Amino acid sequence: METVSEILAARLQTAFDRVAPGADPVLRPSERADFQANGALALARALGRAPRDLAQEICAHLDLAGVAEVELAGAGFLNVTLSAGFLDERLRALAGDARLGVRPADPVRTVVIDYSAPNVAKEMHVGHLRSTVIGDALARVERLVGNRVIARNHVGDWGTPFGMLIEHLIDQGEDAGSAELAVGDLTAFYQDARAAFDADEAFRERSRARVVALQAGDPETRRLWRLLVDQSVAYFSEVYARLGVTLRSEDIRGESSYNDDLAGVVADLDALGLLVDSDGARCVFPPGFANRDGEPLPLIVQKRDGGFGYAATDLAAVRDRVTRLGADTMLYVVGTPQAQHFSMVFAVARLAGWLPDAVRCEHVAFGNVLGADHKMLKTRSGGTVKLIDLLDEAIARADQALVERGATGDEASRRALAEQIARAAIKYADLSTERQRDYVFDLERMVAFEGDTGPYLQYAHTRVRSILRRAGATTVAPPARFALDEPAERALGRALLDWPDALAATRASAQPHRLCGYLFSLAQAFTAFYEACAVLGAPEPVRTQRLALCDLTARTLAQGLDTLGIEAPERM
Ligand code: ARG
């Protein structure tokens, strides 16, 4: 099915093309009508014509028969109001469509999403939470349209710190060390290693020698390294399971997994004549990148000591994803501070011919999570806030809210529900802010059942489900016609038709907050409808029609929440 805005855009484009080929109709949702097309204004300016006359001329070419009525307003806006017959036809199609109007991708694309990417033997912090939650939502969005999604968890499992981490593991004893890591005491482990490194020259010496042994593939060193990696990965997996994200251990491709490709990256860049020696380091200077003093910026591919860094690994990963995985789209869900790193890596990959123009490659950047003091979120002692602690606190609050609301039933099921609500609270708060912006981590607001929150949307869904239960309808019969005589009823019908467009806008911008905004307005449209219109007590055929609207609302909310990685319980 074409979406409503696609149908309108196509018809408007035809009319605009008759007057000025290729002119943009500038179609937008509108408060006054359903949509507004403002393109005549800019076009009139460009052509030096009177805007209203031009708009009139466009209208004369516009064929919206059976779809909408158009009204010429103000300086030359076109107000577009969908016709009753069109709404009826579309809603009937929607009611019978298990995909709720979402068209399957054709052709199917391969979308590689790099997300989560915590570091071995280091605590997962709220930045990793953002990457995990946003990346997982984008993965679900792409899967919903039928694309082939390949998740890549680019875990930090290589580099100089591993010398010191392995020596610390040896000093502590393998059993004690791995026990600490397995329970997620990663911060303490890392900090103790760091402290030993800073305090003790002999430890520093051992650490340096250990890095060399690690890189040379010394079996005992590799075994100890594996231990660190495995314990950390076990802990990450537990966090993912508790957060309800779809990342699996098969998705892990740590930095180390590209080791064998790094020498080839350097050799190939060299053969292409892109490598420049700078203070002994081997660099590429992609055009267009300069530091504050206007000097060209290098992307360091191989360090002076011969070691490869973060950039070399990412270049190898680009090649792997394009060549071996056949990526059509690559999304990197990583914090804003790495923006320059990624634009340079992508620029170098394009220069080298490893990243064809046809491949969409995007850094999906995000801002910080702040504490109540509007500074970076930290524990009281200034340490990294553990993700799992945040989740536990959210669960406790959700549980308390359920008790206050007089929840019945056994404790285990209440607890399970509290976990669903807590996950919704944390994920929705993260996803509903425009990702480039910072947000304040405020559990009380996040867990609230009112306002623009995850629990509110879950609750809205349970209310619709309860109406359907009371109707005794396991499957809702499609009505012969959606008349939508009441304004609130029409508004709900309109909102339901917007779901595929909301999804398309989310995909195009990689902005999950658009999906959140859509679901919130759908829930509000439902509330307004339910206040204004009787459902169960309405006479036929209105009752059947309104039950069908309820059913569509419940299905859309459930589908939408699922796409954000949020569960939609039946009762709350
Ligand atoms: N491990 C890195 C960090 O914690 C993020 C890695 C992001 N992905 C990538 N391909 N560089 O900052």
Side-chain angles (χ1 to χ4, degrees):
M1 260 204 305
E2 271 181 295
T3 72
V4 172
S5 71
E6 281 166 358
I7 294 174
L8 290 177
R11 307 257 183 133
L12 278 156
Q13 192 63 59
T14 307
F16 271 73
D17 283 349
R18 297 284 292 278
V19 177
D24 181 1
V26 193
L27 181 68
R28 300 273 178 277
S30 150
E31 296 282 311
R32 305 241 176 106
D34 290 313
F35 292 89
Q36 198 170 63
N38 298 341
L41 299 180
L43 186 59
R45 230 175 296 131
L47 300 177
R49 290 189 48 186
R52 266 192 84 94
D53 285 355
L54 187 73
Q56 200 104 53
E57 195 184 324
I58 293 167
C59 272
H61 293 296
L62 186 56
D63 174 18
L64 284 175
V67 176
E69 276 96 52
V70 186
E71 178 209 21
L72 176 58
F77 308 109
L78 302 180
N79 282 334
V80 181
T81 305
L82 300 173
S83 66
F86 180 71
L87 289 177
D88 168 43
E89 183 193 308
R90 299 288 303 193
L91 282 169
R92 276 188 288 120
L94 201 60
D97 181 6
R99 298 186 55 90
L100 293 165
V102 176
R103 202 172 37 209
D106 181 26
V108 171
R109 302 274 178 201
T110 298
V111 182
V112 177
I113 311 185
D114 183 312
Y115 69 103
S116 195
N119 301 309
V120 164
K122 245 181 154 174
E123 190 54 67
M124 275 178 98
H125 54 68
V126 282
H128 297 121
L129 168 76
R130 294 215 69 186
S131 175
T132 305
V133 168
I134 296 169
D136 209 53
L138 295 175
R140 289 165 187 263
V141 165
E142 291 300 328
R143 273 186 216 117
L144 181 64
V145 301
N147 276 331
R148 174 169 169 254
V149 173
I150 302 178
R152 277 292 174 261
N153 192 351
H154 198 85
V155 167
D157 64 357
W158 202 251
T160 34
F162 282 89
M164 122 195 145
L165 291 166
I166 292 170
E167 286 305 319
H168 180 60
L169 181 66
I170 294 170
D171 287 358
Q172 231 191 351
E174 274 177 44
D175 292 342
S178 25
E180 194 175 355
L181 292 172
V183 297
D185 234 338
L186 280 63
T187 309
F189 186 89
Y190 195 91
Q191 280 172 356
D192 291 348
R194 181 87 239 175
F197 189 87
D198 291 339
D200 179 354
E201 176 56 36
F203 186 87
R204 277 200 290 280
E205 252 337 292
R206 275 159 55 201
S207 301
R208 283 187 205 113
R210 193 55 82 173
V211 178
V212 175
L214 180 64
Q215 276 161 352
D218 167 56
E220 173 62 4
T221 304
R222 284 290 172 109
R223 186 186 67 80
L224 292 165
W225 169 78
R226 254 283 131 229
L227 208 69
L228 288 175
V229 173
D230 288 347
Q231 295 296 351
S232 298
V233 165
Y235 173 65
F236 301 150
S237 306
E238 191 195 316
V239 175
Y240 298 146
R242 289 203 56 199
L243 278 176
V245 297
T246 59
L247 270 178
R248 305 153 310 160
S249 40
E250 301 93 279
D251 302 326
I252 293 181
R253 284 293 179 287
E255 294 176 8
S256 67
S257 62
Y258 301 98
N259 282 352
D260 291 346
D261 303 332
L262 301 179
V265 165
V266 174
D268 291 352
L269 287 173
D270 202 14
L272 289 163
L274 290 169
L275 276 190
V276 176
D277 231 66
S278 173
D279 281 337
R282 313 191 77 188
C283 308
V284 182
F285 288 87
F289 293 90
N291 67 14
R292 280 202 203 95
D293 303 324
E295 289 154 7
L297 263 182
L299 184 73
I300 302 174
V301 189
Q302 191 168 19
K303 292 181 278 188
R304 207 182 324 174
D305 65 6
F308 304 99
Y310 192 54
T313 307
D314 264 322
L315 284 171
V318 167
R319 291 225 284 195
D320 183 60
R321 291 165 192 188
V322 173
T323 321
R324 281 200 275 263
L325 302 181
D328 298 297
T329 296
M330 303 200 281
L331 303 177
Y332 288 74
V333 190
V334 187
T336 305
Q338 296 192 33
Q340 189 175 64
H341 164 75
F342 284 113
S343 22
M344 292 183 82
V345 166
F346 300 161
V348 170
R350 296 228 189 252
L351 274 181
W354 301 336
L355 187 52
D357 288 341
V359 176
R360 171 182 165 209
C361 188
E362 207 179 308
H363 174 208
V364 178
F366 54 81
N368 296 316
V369 183
L370 309 177
D373 56 0
H374 288 251
K375 300 212 179 88
M376 297 283 270
L377 188 67
K378 288 266 148 66
T379 58
R380 228 162 267 167
S381 55
T384 311
V385 175
K386 281 179 76 168
L387 246 163
I388 260 340
D389 293 345
L390 293 175
L391 187 61
D392 283 333
E393 201 182 327
I395 294 169
R397 279 176 191 260
D399 195 50
Q400 192 191 335
L402 288 173
V403 172
E404 279 162 16
R405 296 169 74 90
T408 51
D410 61 301
E411 199 159 328
S413 44
R414 196 187 71 218
R415 162 88 193 180
L417 185 55
E419 285 180 10
Q420 297 193 354
I421 296 172
R423 281 192 283 271
I426 289 184
K427 288 185 178 178
Y428 189 84
D430 198 301
L431 295 169
S432 59
T433 7
E434 194 182 340
R435 60 177 159 72
Q436 287 93 338
R437 296 194 11 209
D438 299 344
Y439 74 91
V440 172
F441 196 91
D442 176 357
L443 265 182
E444 189 167 323
R445 188 184 58 83
M446 288 156 65
V447 179
F449 283 47
E450 289 92 38
D452 189 7
T453 69
Y456 165 74
L457 289 179
Q458 289 180 312
Y459 183 61
H461 171 261
T462 64
R463 279 175 56 213
V464 195
R465 293 293 309 154
S466 125
I467 296 165
L468 292 166
R469 272 197 310 276
R470 275 184 286 145
T474 38
T475 50
V476 172
R481 193 165 83 93
F482 282 93
L484 311 181
D485 292 327
E486 290 295 326
E489 195 173 31
R490 185 187 188 280
L492 178 60
R494 272 283 293 118
L496 288 165
L497 292 179
D498 280 342
W499 162 240
D501 277 328
L503 198 64
T506 306
R507 288 185 61 216
S509 58
Q511 289 280 13
H513 81 275
R514 292 181 176 236
L515 207 57
C516 297
Y518 168 76
L519 292 176
F520 185 58
S521 63
L522 176 63
Q524 285 183 310
F526 179 79
T527 303
F529 157 79
Y530 198 54
E531 271 164 23
C533 305
V535 175
L536 296 173
E540 287 299 354
V542 178
R543 185 176 185 271
T544 301
Q545 172 192 308
R546 290 186 176 162
L547 273 176
L549 288 176
C550 290
D551 181 54
L552 272 172
T553 305
R555 282 161 55 198
T556 308
L557 283 174
Q559 175 85 93
L561 286 171
D562 183 56
T563 310
L564 295 173
I566 296 174
E567 295 131 298
E570 183 72 18
R571 291 184 174 80
M572 265 168 86

